[in-house]
Amino acid sequence: MMQPSSVIDLLDRPLGVLRLSLTARCNLACPYCCPDSVEPQGLLSTLDQLRLIHSACALGVHTLRLTGGEPLLTDRLWPLLEALSVGRATPGHPLSRLKDLAITTNGSLLDDAKAQQLRALGVDRITISLDAVDAESIARMAGLRRGAEAGLELFKRVLAGIDAARAAGYEPDEGALKLNAVIQRGRNDDQLIPLARLARQQRMELRLIEYMDVGNRNGWCLDQVMPATEMIQLLHSHWPLQPIGRQPGGTSSQWLYQDGEGSIATIASITEPFCSDCNRLRITADGQAFTCLFASEGIDLRRWLRMDVSDSELAEVMTQLWTGRSDRFSEDRGLMQVGNHHAEMAYLGG
Ligand code: SAM
């Protein structure tokens, strides 16, 4: 079957990926992310979420990533997945155009039952976030007050989550199970090599994320950004690497370990922005659409859902939203005014 063509924005970028945040709440309190402990007013219902996903698929979205806050913290995940799974299996249904369904989680709530349920309901890929292997460092990065003891507990839970995902059929070698780590200079840059060692042992691709100036609460400053090139130099001195590059529309640049032990990736949003082929639309748990992670304000889609618009009217609203898009905030960073208001990462979902 021919894929529907995608809507194109003012910079010729097709819509391809939807990141839907299911909750703004998180069970961790990472200081670089600063999640909320309460939900925003007016969360989307499962029906609202489905209507938005349908419209997005009709406009060319082929990949859906579920995120948060912590998506495994909300029971609303499961009815959504059930409906997605039925729609994807129905020929001709807008959801049958969804080729890839992924979830980003801190892994601490992932047990065998949940991993199997994710698998059974058609989640194709799981990305697990972990920023350190040393217990003290884990606790600091996750904002845990009880220090090393709590850090060790979290580490064990995340490792158990990885085991559960693998047992449910998420194969790292097939790219179905990956590890995310934010690297902050002076906070956890000493964890880069230990994290890479862990990922190599687990045969998981580690994706090293530059610390981003998303949100206003984390006190971001450029001094705390470790550029991806520096991360790669350090890794290369331990395990020689061979560059593969970045897929068009992708966020990560990949390197192969020359010893054949898999790959590693960087997400260099700050030092090597990739706005030119950005294909991502983000929708928050309360229905605000953001075409850029670094934007200050979203567009309120919930308002349209509450007005009971038809599916074609909703698709038209989303078409307008994408076709009017010209943002490339990360490339324009140098031109942006210091002190600009940014939406919070835990609200946007990464
Ligand atoms: N709770 C889930 C998790 O931990 O993966 C999903 C939400 S979290 C906001 C998604 C990703 O964004 C995580 O990998 C997290 O480390 C990353 N992240 C959060 N704040 C960030 C920041 N300021 N810079 C770079 N990455 C960030």
Side-chain angles (χ1 to χ4, degrees):
M1 195 179 67
M2 283 242 311
Q3 280 294 301
S5 53
S6 297
V7 288
I8 308 283
D9 77 3
L10 293 171
L11 299 181
D12 255 348
R13 297 171 295 188
L15 172 63
V17 177
L18 174 62
R19 294 193 176 182
L20 180 67
S21 177
L22 302 185
T23 171
R25 289 171 52 232
C26 190
N27 56 332
L28 303 182
C30 308
Y32 62 80
C33 182
C34 300
D36 288 317
S37 52
V38 289
E39 295 290 17
Q41 292 279 308
L43 285 184
L44 297 181
S45 67
T46 301
L47 183 61
D48 293 335
Q49 292 167 333
L50 282 166
R51 291 195 67 201
L52 294 173
I53 298 168
H54 286 184
S55 293
C57 288
L59 301 184
V61 159
H62 49 72
T63 298
L64 172 65
R65 180 171 288 277
L66 301 175
T67 177
E70 173 47 46
L72 290 181
L73 202 55
T74 168
D75 285 343
R76 298 157 74 250
L77 169 65
W78 307 109
L80 175 64
L81 286 179
E82 273 162 34
L84 289 175
S85 135
V86 173
R88 286 179 85 191
T90 308
H93 195 283
L95 289 173
S96 62
R97 296 168 185 162
L98 206 54
K99 298 295 165 230
D100 189 21
L101 175 55
I103 190 165
T104 310
T105 169
N106 60 42
S108 64
L109 303 171
L110 190 59
D111 55 18
D112 284 331
K114 289 202 183 86
Q116 280 160 23
Q117 218 174 339
L118 291 174
R119 189 79 182 163
L121 293 174
V123 174
D124 301 296
R125 296 186 294 125
I126 303 181
T127 305
I128 293 183
S129 306
L130 178 70
D131 302 322
V133 298
D134 165 73
E136 193 83 54
S137 213
I138 292 176
R140 190 169 57 244
M141 293 305 285
L144 306 177
R145 289 210 198 95
R146 283 189 301 113
E149 190 191 334
L152 183 60
E153 213 173 281
L154 176 59
F155 188 47
K156 287 182 181 161
R157 280 179 17 223
V158 176
L159 290 183
I162 291 172
D163 286 347
R166 204 191 297 272
Y170 290 96
E171 263 307 321
D173 287 339
E174 290 165 10
L177 185 60
K178 295 184 181 173
L179 206 57
N180 265 3
V182 177
I183 301 296
Q184 240 181 305
R185 196 194 292 287
R187 304 251 330 154
N188 69 334
D189 47 348
D190 64 331
Q191 294 298 295
L192 207 157
I193 297 298
L195 276 166
R197 190 170 292 118
L198 172 74
R200 278 165 59 93
Q201 281 160 4
Q202 296 276 351
R203 297 199 61 78
M204 292 168 81
E205 181 177 278
L206 174 65
R207 293 149 39 102
L208 297 159
I209 310 175
E210 286 181 350
Y211 176 37
M212 296 180 216
D213 51 340
V214 181
N216 307 286
R217 303 175 191 156
N218 59 10
W220 183 89
C221 68
L222 194 55
D223 293 352
Q224 291 180 353
V225 178
M226 185 171 192
T229 45
E230 203 179 317
M231 300 189 210
I232 289 298
Q233 269 166 17
L234 189 61
L235 283 158
H236 186 72
S237 64
H238 275 71
W239 300 285
L241 295 168
Q242 181 189 329
I244 301 184
R246 185 175 67 83
Q247 295 273 346
T251 55
S252 66
S253 296
Q254 279 183 307
W255 277 260
L256 278 181
Y257 286 112
Q258 286 183 16
D259 63 7
E261 293 295 312
S263 59
I264 189 150
T266 55
I267 300 181
S269 318
I270 303 292
T271 61
E272 296 161 56
F274 31 82
C275 307
S276 61
D277 56 5
C278 174
N279 57 6
R280 289 170 290 284
L281 173 65
R282 296 174 165 84
I283 301 182
T284 63
D286 58 346
Q288 305 297 310
F290 287 79
T291 50
C292 180
L293 200 50
F294 300 98
S296 50
E297 276 182 25
I299 292 161
D300 187 4
L301 293 176
R302 192 185 50 194
R303 182 167 72 92
W304 297 96
L305 292 163
R306 295 294 168 265
M307 280 163 52
D308 243 355
V309 290
S310 67
D311 288 348
S312 58
E313 285 167 322
L314 186 60
E316 183 52 33
V317 169
M318 289 175 73
T319 302
Q320 297 288 334
L321 186 168
W322 190 266
T323 54
R325 171 187 189 211
S326 63
D327 53 54
R328 44 187 199 96
F329 288 116
S330 205
E331 287 176 356
D332 283 346
R333 177 170 284 100
L335 307 173
M336 288 198 302
Q337 299 204 334
V338 177
N340 267 6
H341 177 83
H342 288 172
E344 297 299 325
M345 183 67 116
Y347 182 61
L348 291 169

